[in-house]
Amino acid sequence: MLFRSLRALSSPGRSVLLSDGPRSCGPGFTFPVMPPLRLLSIRLLLAAAALNITPVGAQSPFYEFTLIAWEGLHAPVDGTITGIEANVSINEEGFVAFIGAVTSGEPPVTMDQLFVGNADWNLSNVSQSPTPRNFDFPQINNQGRVVTRELAGGHSVVHVWWMSNPGAFDTIATTTTSAFSQLTMPTLGNTNDVLDKPLVSFLGRIADLDFGLYANDTLKPNTQDFVSPLTGTRLAGFRSATAASCARVIAAQFQGIEDGAPQAGVQQFAVFQDAGNNGLWDETLIASTGNGQPWAELGIAPGISDSGQIVA
């Protein structure tokens, strides 16, 4: 069996599912623990910035509260931040990736940019995009790599950016030079070293067919593995997370399938693993709300550790 055990931490009417990881990443990889105070501090400050909240009066006696970005802030490189998207990501070093709308020039022009910053005021315009495009789904790993999906000129592309080298990126997939008609919802894993290639998962659609789940750890465009068809999945109910790249495990929640057809209102949570590192991904169903299943509903935020432990 792919995952060795599955156990539930229960409260009245609800449970949290936990699974053991499938295997270690070897002696060269360690799984650090996120400092909980710093994690919550950064989440609070980005949430406050996105909601245009300014702290007033005394600081919390429990958490350090530091704003790193807000509307009206002069942006690195040029322009003024005039909007901050709600989707943010944090790594274990406390660096936060987020999308900010930057307005500059005369007449004023507003463009999305990818920013990375931390509580020490190290704010950087990582994308430095010279042309208008829509950035979405930023996620930063512990090595300072950031994945995004971008829309420009009717095309979509998945990029991995370098926090330490603003403006530099690797293309993972693009609709301009492939059979894909649409790309969305990328995630990426941690790596042993900053120069290692992270595993990136994303949803891709060919023509008007259903979305499928794909994985790419080459940092080269259109060299992805096909992970799962996820037949009939709806984007509104899809969530995924990627373990450390060496573990080659992806967790995903998606619309349920019964008798080969998608079922409205049915949710499934599964993990996919390429144990042989050969592009062949096995699926293990963790939970489902389908007929005869014990679960009445599933949450919308499954998680995965570096080692492949699952929480849902």
Side-chain angles (χ1 to χ4, degrees):
M1 185 172 178
L2 176 61
F3 282 75
R4 293 191 298 271
S5 67
L6 180 67
R7 57 192 184 275
L9 305 181
S10 299
S11 61
R14 294 183 181 270
S15 297
V16 177
L17 298 180
L18 297 174
S19 74
D20 290 337
R23 60 189 177 96
S24 68
C25 281
F29 193 88
T30 59
F31 303 114
V33 176
M34 164 64 74
L37 295 187
R38 191 170 194 183
L39 168 63
L40 186 53
S41 172
I42 301 294
R43 281 180 173 170
L44 286 173
L45 66 90
L46 260 295
L51 296 174
N52 198 26
I53 297 173
T54 302
V56 178
Q59 295 285 316
S60 164
F62 303 105
Y63 302 106
E64 180 181 351
F65 191 100
T66 306
L67 285 175
I68 65 172
W70 57 88
E71 293 181 4
L73 175 68
H74 181 74
V77 181
D78 188 28
T80 300
I81 295 178
T82 54
I84 298 175
E85 290 192 6
N87 291 330
V88 298
S89 175
I90 186 171
N91 70 11
E92 293 179 358
E93 299 300 320
F95 283 94
V96 179
F98 66 95
I99 306 302
V102 177
T103 301
S104 62
E106 189 61 45
V109 175
T110 299
M111 296 191 298
D112 279 357
Q113 299 287 356
L114 171 64
F115 291 93
V116 172
N118 66 4
D120 295 325
W121 198 251
N122 296 311
L123 186 63
S124 173
N125 182 340
V126 173
S127 57
Q128 299 187 11
S129 176
T131 57
R133 59 186 54 217
N134 178 266
F135 283 82
D136 285 303
F137 312 112
Q139 185 179 357
I140 186 170
N141 71 5
N142 289 341
Q143 290 68 45
R145 303 286 190 100
V146 187
V147 69
T148 59
R149 192 283 307 270
E150 298 138 57
L151 299 175
H155 296 281
S156 52
V157 60
V158 175
H159 280 149
V160 171
W161 303 84
W162 289 70
M163 181 185 79
S164 59
N165 190 10
F169 61 84
D170 294 289
T171 300
I172 301 300
T174 173
T175 59
T176 59
T177 60
S178 73
F180 288 123
S181 60
Q182 193 174 349
L183 302 166
T184 189
M185 295 188 174
T187 66
L188 84 167
N190 294 320
T191 59
N192 289 331
D193 184 80
V194 69
L195 297 179
D196 291 344
K197 299 172 182 177
L199 178 66
V200 178
S201 70
F202 60 91
L203 286 182
R205 187 180 191 183
I206 296 176
D208 59 351
L209 301 178
D210 293 325
F211 281 95
L213 181 63
Y214 295 84
N216 185 330
D217 64 355
T218 68
L219 290 183
K220 296 179 180 179
N222 307 320
T223 57
Q224 61 277 336
D225 297 338
F226 179 67
V227 177
S228 172
L230 299 178
T231 305
T233 193
R234 296 179 179 177
L235 294 184
F238 180 84
R239 299 290 188 276
S240 66
T242 302
S245 300
C246 53
R248 298 187 66 77
V249 178
I250 301 169
Q253 182 172 326
F254 50 93
Q255 185 178 8
I257 308 297
E258 289 186 349
D259 300 324
Q263 301 295 313
V266 175
Q267 287 287 311
Q268 291 184 335
F269 179 56
V271 291
F272 305 89
Q273 184 188 11
D274 176 16
N277 195 17
N278 54 13
L280 301 176
W281 293 79
D282 296 316
E283 177 181 350
T284 299
L285 183 65
I286 296 293
S288 172
T289 61
N291 292 331
Q293 300 295 322
W295 308 106
E297 60 179 319
L298 300 178
I300 60 172
I304 192 169
S305 70
D306 278 340
S307 61
Q309 282 191 308
I310 306 296
V311 59

